[in-house]
Amino acid sequence: MNFFRKNVTEPIKDLFKQGLTAEDLSWSLAWGVTGGLFPIPGVTTVVCLMFIAIFNLNIAACQLPNLLLTPVQLMTIVPQISLGNYIFGVEEDVAQIFALLTSDLRAAVTLGGYSILRGIAAWALLVPFFTFAVYKILLVFISKAMPNK
């Protein structure tokens, strides 16, 4: 509980003191959540920086959920690849890629590369809907928690 308070609750409270509106904070956090679920590990920070530059978001509010969602991101890579395969009509078992890693690295990289691209396409298709839904949910809670000015 102390970890959550120190690493999540307190940084968000500090964001309230920076003069952000509830809408600005909600958008920044929502884009951070979306960027944090990008299906390539290690690239989420760059994705969030692109969102920050494009939408003029608060850097800390966008990067906080991005970094906190790393374990969730790792768990969503396979479902995103599977969704991408489904969207593109590819009959490919994601487990096959992992099996190839031990026997034929070149085939695994080739097959995995195309799978990751389809996973990115699936993520990109979901971005506007997912981000808007997260924004609306966060806005309800942040509006209630935001100190009146």
Side-chain angles (χ1 to χ4, degrees), residues 17-96:
K17 299 173 190 170
Q18 293 182 1
L20 291 172
T21 64
E23 291 81 12
D24 290 341
L25 182 56
S26 296
W27 276 122
S28 295
L29 290 169
W31 282 109
V33 168
T34 302
L37 296 176
F38 189 74
I40 301 178
V43 180
T44 60
T45 299
V46 175
V47 172
C48 285
L49 288 174
M50 288 179 7
F51 289 155
I52 290 165
I54 293 168
F55 299 114
N56 196 26
L57 304 172
N58 180 281
I59 295 170
C62 189
Q63 290 296 347
L64 178 67
N66 167 30
L67 297 174
L68 289 173
L69 282 174
T70 300
V72 177
Q73 180 228 11
L74 295 174
M75 291 186 293
T76 62
I77 292 171
V78 172
Q80 288 180 48
I81 291 172
S82 297
L83 178 60
N85 287 342
Y86 175 77
I87 290 169
F88 288 95
V90 175
E91 296 283 333
E92 185 174 273
D93 185 16
V94 179
Q96 178 186 4

Side-chain angles (χ1 to χ4, degrees), residues 128-141:
F129 307 106
F130 181 76
T131 305
F132 186 73
V134 172
Y135 163 74
K136 286 302 221 180
I137 292 166
L138 288 172
L139 185 60
V140 169
F141 292 105

